[in-house]
Amino acid sequence: MPLLIVALAVVVLLILMMRFKLNGFISLILVATLVAFWAVATDSLTIDGEAAGIADIPDIIADGLGGQLGGTAIVIGLGAMIGRVMGDAGAAQRIAKKILSVFGERGVQWAMVISAMLIGVTMFYEVAFVILVPVAFTLVRATKVNLLWVGLPMSISLSTMHSFLPPHPGPTAVAGLYNASVGLTLAYGLMIAIPVGVAIAMTWPRLAFVKKMNPQMPAGLLAEKEFKDEELPSTAMSFIVALLPIVLIAGSEVARMTLEMSESLSNVLELLGSAEMALLIALIVAIFAFGPMSNRSMSQVAKSMSEAARAMAMILLVIGAGGAFKEVLVSAGIADYIAETTSGWDLSPLVLAWLIAVILRIALGSATVAVSTAAGIAAPLVVATGASPELMVLATACGSIAFSHVNDPGFWMFKEYFNLNVGQAIAVRTTYTTTLAVLGLGGVLLLSQFIA
């Protein structure tokens, strides 16, 4: 019954948005409220393990929305401002021209795949996305190609890195539950993630149903002006600002993992390497580098940031509403129901961990909840069956990326940035995430033939 309710909720959401063209934010909040009413009627709605009633529904929705936007709003907001400041100063155009000079117009997809995989090893999907997407937009305008031709390889590569590999949250968290080596998990994960991610990133934009889509870039996220060469900032400064958050985040992580240091220094590096602080520092550098230092006034820079914030308002609301929907599903006990149902299944531990994560992902939308719950169920199997704990991490993490759809806040970020309707986003993102999950499991099973 709980899974049927989830399915009905998704159907209602799709009807509201596709048939009646209702705004995504309103549709998600409305469906989340209806599911919460069902949970109250069946005595399955809880807050922190305590039974909840209809008076608690607004708090649950607010917690879900706030929890989703707590870090996401800062990251996306700062990233959008950096992108717009760079775009209005011509820095994004300068980077795009350099990429084109190195890879050529035919190589822009490879440029995005390589950049996304290098950045995505250490950076969260959302952070890397907002850093790279202005460059993708500028490349699209410079080459006059389809937005998805450039943007999709970037997104697929980032999804692969984020879902398969530590130090990303899901794989890192379950590595502890399985008592797995993070270093070995990363090494094995790269063996799977690179070939699988590249194959899908280069295949998906060439599929017939994807090539038929021709979305326009969202208004307000890219400068309208095309600059002459003499008006562009230097290549060095353009890349310094673009790479600064990457250097801070990745450098901090690597230093803290490999060097012996005092607790106070480690705390400082952790602060500087947080996504929020790294992007804030990069924005401050961008303000001065592409403001007073490049003959643009502070009022012009402020205008760029304000326009970026306005353009992001609805995107953030929709992403937050996706978090509210997810929170209601979790509070309704869907995860507990799935855990109880699957706990007695007699399957290969690798397949079982993957399958439980897939079911949780479909039902709840949250990859983090899916991977952690699935690992909690499957963890005893590591000792009982002798399965490799590192491969168990990868199998569980692969399952958690499958079937990204309307209850996944990341789905809405993808949809809004690439200006797709719901049907198009499902056709593109849901299929590529599911293919990643299936091929990822195949890679894990293949490795299991050689790794004890």
Side-chain angles (χ1 to χ4, degrees):
M1 184 62 176
L3 294 182
L4 176 61
I5 294 299
V6 173
L8 290 174
V10 171
V11 170
V12 171
L13 184 59
L14 294 177
I15 291 173
L16 289 174
M17 296 189 67
M18 298 175 70
R19 175 68 178 85
F20 296 104
K21 309 298 180 185
L22 194 61
N23 173 273
F25 173 72
I26 301 300
S27 299
L28 282 161
I29 295 298
L30 178 58
V31 171
T33 303
L34 292 175
V35 173
F37 276 125
W38 163 80
V40 170
T42 56
D43 294 324
S44 57
L45 193 69
T46 61
I47 298 179
D48 297 328
E50 300 292 331
I54 57 173
D56 298 307
I57 292 175
D59 290 337
I60 293 173
I61 290 175
D63 286 346
L65 192 148
Q68 181 62 41
L69 292 183
T72 304
I74 299 173
V75 167
I76 292 179
L78 290 174
M81 289 180 186
I82 294 169
R84 184 59 191 261
V85 169
M86 291 180 65
D88 286 347
Q93 187 176 327
R94 172 65 79 187
I95 292 171
K97 286 174 69 69
K98 187 64 177 178
I99 289 174
L100 288 175
S101 71
V102 174
F103 289 90
E105 288 194 15
R106 293 190 175 185
V108 291
Q109 289 183 313
W110 281 108
M112 297 312 296
V113 168
I114 293 169
S115 300
M117 286 196 165
L118 289 173
I119 293 170
V121 169
T122 56
M123 297 184 72
F124 288 7
Y125 175 88
E126 294 85 353
V127 181
F129 190 101
V130 297
I131 290 172
L132 285 175
V133 80
V135 177
F137 287 166
T138 308
L139 283 170
V140 168
R141 188 167 67 181
T143 58
K144 305 296 189 291
V145 297
N146 190 302
L147 174 57
L148 294 179
W149 185 258
V150 177
L152 201 47
M154 176 197 79
S155 181
I156 291 171
S157 300
L158 292 177
S159 292
T160 306
M161 297 293 109
H162 182 85
S163 301
F164 281 52
L165 307 175
H168 293 292
T172 302
V174 298
L177 287 172
Y178 287 128
N179 198 25
S181 163
V182 172
L184 275 179
T185 302
L186 177 59
Y188 296 157
L190 285 170
M191 294 180 195
I192 302 169
I194 291 175
V196 168
V198 168
I200 297 175
M202 300 304 288
T203 299
W204 240 243
R206 291 168 169 79
L207 297 178
F209 72 90
V210 176
K211 292 173 71 174
K212 289 179 181 178
M213 303 175 192
N214 189 25
Q216 302 303 304
M217 287 178 281
L221 293 183
L222 185 67
E224 299 298 329
K225 179 180 178 181
E226 289 200 49
F227 295 83
K228 298 177 182 177
D229 277 353
E230 59 269 20
E231 296 176 311
L232 296 173
S234 70
T235 301
M237 183 56 72
S238 300
F239 274 99
I240 286 171
V241 174
L243 296 176
L244 182 56
I246 300 165
V247 171
L248 289 172
I249 294 171
S252 171
E253 187 69 30
V254 171
R256 291 171 59 236
M257 288 176 62
T258 59
L259 301 178
E260 292 186 12
M261 62 184 68
S262 64
E263 184 179 352
S264 58
L265 179 56
S266 177
N267 290 338
V268 170
L269 288 176
E270 185 173 2
L271 171 66
L272 294 177
S274 66
E276 297 85 353
M277 186 59 63
L279 286 168
L280 178 60
I281 292 170
L283 178 59
I284 292 170
V285 173
I287 289 170
F288 287 98
F290 304 128
M293 291 174 60
S294 62
N295 299 317
R296 295 182 74 227
S297 68
M298 291 298 290
S299 61
Q300 288 177 305
V301 176
K303 182 181 179 183
S304 296
M305 292 189 290
S306 296
E307 289 177 351
R310 280 197 293 271
M312 293 306 304
M314 185 50 68
I315 294 176
L316 286 171
L317 282 175
V318 172
I319 293 170
F325 186 26
K326 177 210 71 177
E327 186 68 20
V328 167
L329 293 174
V330 172
S331 298
I334 305 297
D336 295 336
Y337 172 81
I338 293 170
E340 183 179 343
T341 302
T342 57
S343 59
W345 290 359
D346 184 19
L347 292 170
S348 155
L350 295 172
V351 175
L352 179 63
W354 180 87
L355 188 57
I356 294 171
V358 168
I359 296 170
L360 286 161
R361 166 72 157 177
I362 295 171
L364 301 175
S366 170
T368 303
V369 174
V371 76
S372 58
T373 304
I377 297 170
L381 296 176
V382 174
V383 175
T385 65
S388 163
E390 290 77 25
L391 294 184
M392 288 290 287
V393 172
L394 293 174
T396 313
C398 288
S400 72
I401 194 180
F403 292 98
S404 170
H405 65 101
V406 293
N407 60 1
D408 173 19
F411 170 91
W412 297 101
M413 183 176 178
F414 177 88
K415 172 194 173 299
E416 297 295 325
Y417 265 101
F418 291 130
N419 216 7
L420 301 169
N421 62 41
V422 175
Q424 290 172 326
I426 289 174
V428 177
R429 181 171 167 89
T430 307
T431 56
Y432 94 62
T433 53
T434 304
T435 306
L436 273 177
V438 172
L439 293 182
L441 175 64
V444 171
L445 294 176
L446 180 61
L447 280 181
S448 71
Q449 301 304 306
F450 306 96
I451 298 170

